[in-house]
Amino acid sequence: MQTLQLYNTLSRKKEEFQPLNPPFVGLYVCGPTVYSDVHLGNCRTFISFDLIYRYLLHLGFKVRYVRNITDAGHLEGDRDEGDDKFAKKARLEQVEPMEIVQRYTVGFHEVLKQFNTLPPSIEPTATGHICEQIEMVKEIMERGFAYEVKGTVYFDVEKYSSAFNYGQLTNRKLEELLEGTRDLSGQDEKKGRLDFALWIKAKPETLMRWPSPWGWGFPGWHIECSAMSRKYLGDTFDIHGGGMDLQATHHTNEIAQSQACYDAKPVNYWMHTNMLTVNGVRMSKSAGNGFLPGELFSGNHPLLEKGYAPMAVRFFMLQTHYRSTLDFSNEALQASEKGFDRLMESYKTLQSLNASDSSTENVRQLRDNCYAAMNDDFNTSVLIAQLFEGARIINSVNDGKTSLNAEDLALLKQLFQDFLFDVLGLKLEEGNQKTDAALARVMELILEIRAQAKKGRDFKLSDEIRDKLIGAGIQVKDTKEGSSWKI
């Protein structure tokens, strides 16, 4: 088994990954809140964790990958204020809240399917686990870390902090957090400013509500992940993550709830993806630079010069390490598009290579470099650089400059299959396959016309065809056996 180093947000350093119950690995990522279209920040997170899931499977681990759906209890603010977003949208559209949930859940799955992400092992919903959340709230109250006020149950952060470190995930002290928290109107019923709701009393007009020991209400946003991860992965499991924006509030409160409930750390390794920017400015609706995946694919946005295929976008995202800021620009996307096409063309060329008696390229070192990159906290940027080195080897062998014996050629084919498709999750676009087939037929005709021109000693026409093909990005190679072409 490969030695895998993961960056742990909790310790703020790389650690050697040791599964709790090898070869079983518990992996949990906070899924979408399905009251609106999934945005690109979500997509980057889910693509990153899809990569982690794929690589763990590739290494031979049995992985239980849980990605939840938030379909209840999400208020307009993180401090338990405002209206429930699902109900608010349902009223505006005059539909049932679960119609909103169903529509955006389907849309979420369609987007991730275009990005070629694998489905999780389990995809639980908050509304499907109300009983588990209520039971967990009861346990926290019995241990003295929560209190009820008028039908709403709050988590007592200051009491928890007397026994545990509340700011452990962000490395901040309680006093510092209190100083940065302002008093909010309508929250004077809380004991402390940092206290958050585990269960919220429903207003008379609330559409999504359930009976509980404290009256009719709905769960707080944070309790759902603690309850669902515990049910499917146990009290303590291997890896939990999401976007870095979840660290300070959502994941901090998850840790607090779980430790208060059963006196054990819930997760061994916390992992977080970094933010997206557009031309150096953080992507957001307020900045006017946020675009949805569909707009990115179609190019239907003022900031986009054209549309970009889902696989080219996935490749673009994976070219940057998941913990680094990812900056969108037309120039960067178009460069990634060319890089993706180059690797796919190399893969196609690889399938037609013939083995020699000996090798002049070190494919085993290339394979070791690929594993070293992925074992270093899933460093896809270095992995992709190694795959481009593989593309160089392929083109060099194809041009007759170097050679590979049968064993090394088979190893290189397996390497590209493993890392390009199985681990990075890239694929030949279905539309591209049809285009490639049509282009191949057209090129057969053009090369036949050129061959006839050369046979008739019309070298001017032959050269003109070759030069115009070069201008279109297609290179023609003449040999004794005939002419071949490549993009």
Side-chain angles (χ1 to χ4, degrees):
M1 187 67 72
Q2 300 283 330
T3 300
L4 181 58
Q5 294 276 330
L6 274 64
Y7 182 85
N8 192 344
T9 302
L10 195 60
S11 64
R12 284 162 283 280
K13 64 181 181 181
K14 289 180 185 176
E15 300 176 356
E16 185 175 332
F17 177 58
Q18 298 289 342
L20 290 170
N21 299 296
F24 177 84
V25 173
L27 173 64
Y28 190 100
V29 63
C30 291
T33 49
V34 287
Y35 54 78
S36 62
D37 293 306
V38 61
H39 58 76
L40 283 172
N42 286 142
C43 291
R44 188 198 186 183
T45 295
F46 301 135
I47 288 171
S48 296
F49 278 86
D50 179 66
L51 170 91
I52 293 167
Y53 180 34
R54 285 172 177 273
Y55 190 59
L56 291 172
L57 291 174
H58 174 73
L59 292 181
F61 289 106
K62 180 180 179 181
V63 185
R64 180 175 292 170
Y65 177 26
V66 182
R67 183 184 68 205
N68 73 290
I69 295 286
T70 296
D71 58 353
H74 206 303
L75 300 181
E76 290 178 329
D78 290 340
R79 296 297 175 189
D80 314 316
E81 80 274 7
D83 296 324
D84 182 283
K85 292 182 178 181
F86 300 97
K88 187 175 182 179
K89 196 169 187 70
R91 284 197 185 89
L92 288 172
E93 298 188 19
Q94 296 185 329
V95 296
E96 284 290 328
M98 292 309 291
E99 290 183 61
I100 300 294
V101 168
Q102 181 68 11
R103 182 200 313 163
Y104 289 109
T105 300
V106 169
F108 166 67
H109 289 150
E110 288 176 348
V111 168
L112 290 197
K113 185 177 180 181
Q114 290 185 81
F115 281 123
N116 197 35
T117 63
L118 298 175
S121 312
I122 304 172
E123 192 171 58
T125 63
T127 55
H129 296 76
I130 298 297
C131 291
E132 288 83 356
Q133 293 172 77
I134 289 174
E135 286 304 308
M136 195 166 188
V137 173
K138 287 165 64 177
E139 289 180 63
I140 295 170
M141 291 187 75
E142 287 169 5
R143 288 177 57 85
F145 290 106
Y147 56 93
E148 177 200 357
V149 179
K150 301 175 184 177
T152 293
V153 180
Y154 292 103
F155 187 86
D156 193 330
V157 172
E158 291 191 48
K159 185 168 184 180
Y160 168 81
S161 296
S162 65
F164 303 97
N165 179 9
Y166 178 68
Q168 58 187 285
L169 194 60
T170 55
N171 201 27
R172 299 179 69 187
K173 295 180 180 179
L174 183 66
E175 296 76 15
E176 183 183 349
L177 292 169
L178 284 168
E179 287 176 6
T181 305
R182 60 188 176 89
D183 288 316
L184 297 174
S185 59
Q187 295 191 48
D188 53 344
E189 63 187 27
K190 294 183 184 182
K191 291 182 179 178
R193 283 178 289 172
L194 292 174
D195 294 357
F196 56 91
L198 300 173
W199 185 265
I200 301 170
K201 180 182 179 181
K203 299 175 183 177
E205 66 273 17
T206 301
L207 298 175
M208 299 178 78
R209 56 180 180 168
W210 293 266
S212 78
W214 317 285
W216 285 85
F218 55 92
W221 172 31
H222 315 299
I223 194 68
E224 64 182 58
C225 288
S226 292
M228 288 186 283
S229 63
R230 183 189 191 190
K231 176 171 183 176
Y232 296 111
L233 299 175
D235 286 357
T236 303
F237 59 95
D238 296 290
I239 302 171
H240 190 348
M244 65 180 298
D245 57 309
L246 298 180
Q247 276 184 253
T249 302
H250 185 51
H251 288 164
T252 290
N253 290 344
E254 272 192 65
I255 293 172
Q257 292 165 163
S258 298
Q259 284 193 316
C261 184
Y262 44 82
D263 198 17
K265 69 173 185 178
V267 180
N268 274 357
Y269 304 90
W270 284 90
M271 302 176 68
H272 294 91
T273 56
N274 213 322
M275 72 177 75
L276 303 183
T277 59
V278 180
N279 299 317
V281 179
R282 183 169 183 174
M283 182 181 289
S284 67
K285 288 182 180 180
S286 58
N289 64 354
F291 34 81
L292 299 173
E295 294 172 325
L296 188 57
F297 301 154
S298 67
N300 186 25
H301 191 280
L303 293 176
L304 297 171
E305 294 176 0
K306 51 175 276 189
Y308 302 92
M311 284 301 97
V313 176
R314 181 181 175 111
F315 181 70
F316 167 72
M317 290 188 178
L318 293 174
Q319 279 188 293
T320 302
H321 190 268
Y322 75 90
R323 285 193 289 112
S324 299
T325 302
L326 178 63
D327 187 54
F328 276 79
S329 70
N330 285 285
E331 293 79 8
L333 283 163
Q334 288 164 24
S336 290
E337 195 173 47
K338 291 178 181 177
F340 172 74
D341 289 341
R342 179 184 163 197
L343 282 180
M344 289 302 169
E345 286 301 319
S346 297
Y347 171 77
K348 293 175 191 174
T349 302
L350 176 61
Q351 307 315 304
S352 62
L353 292 184
N354 296 316
S356 300
D357 294 333
S358 61
S359 292
T360 58
E361 297 281 1
N362 193 341
V363 179
R364 285 170 177 75
Q365 184 61 57
L366 177 66
R367 179 192 59 187
D368 292 346
N369 292 344
C370 289
Y371 276 109
M374 286 302 294
N375 292 336
D376 183 17
D377 195 31
F378 310 102
N379 199 328
T380 52
S381 60
V382 174
L383 170 64
I384 289 171
Q386 293 301 318
L387 291 176
F388 277 120
E389 172 61 15
R392 181 200 65 77
I393 293 174
I394 292 167
N395 293 329
S396 180
V397 173
N398 187 53
D399 292 339
K401 297 176 181 177
T402 55
S403 61
L404 294 175
N405 62 27
E407 185 179 354
D408 284 344
L409 180 58
L411 183 61
L412 187 58
K413 287 182 178 180
Q414 189 63 52
L415 185 151
F416 263 68
Q417 177 62 48
D418 288 344
F419 287 100
L420 191 62
F421 299 116
D422 296 346
V423 173
L424 290 178
L426 299 169
K427 66 176 183 177
L428 290 165
E429 298 278 6
E430 186 176 333
N432 285 352
Q433 291 175 342
K434 294 177 181 177
T435 301
D436 289 345
L439 178 59
R441 290 194 294 271
V442 171
M443 284 303 301
E444 282 181 24
L445 176 60
I446 292 174
L447 291 182
E448 178 61 28
I449 293 171
R450 183 169 179 265
Q452 291 296 328
K454 291 175 70 176
K455 188 176 180 180
R457 303 187 66 80
D458 189 351
F459 299 114
K460 182 179 179 182
L461 176 59
S462 172
D463 291 344
E464 188 177 349
I465 291 172
R466 180 199 61 202
D467 294 342
K468 287 190 175 180
L469 286 173
I470 291 173
I474 298 174
Q475 180 182 347
V476 176
K477 184 178 181 180
D478 295 321
T479 64
K480 292 178 181 179
E481 291 77 23
S483 298
S484 62
W485 64 276
K486 68 177 182 179
I487 297 176

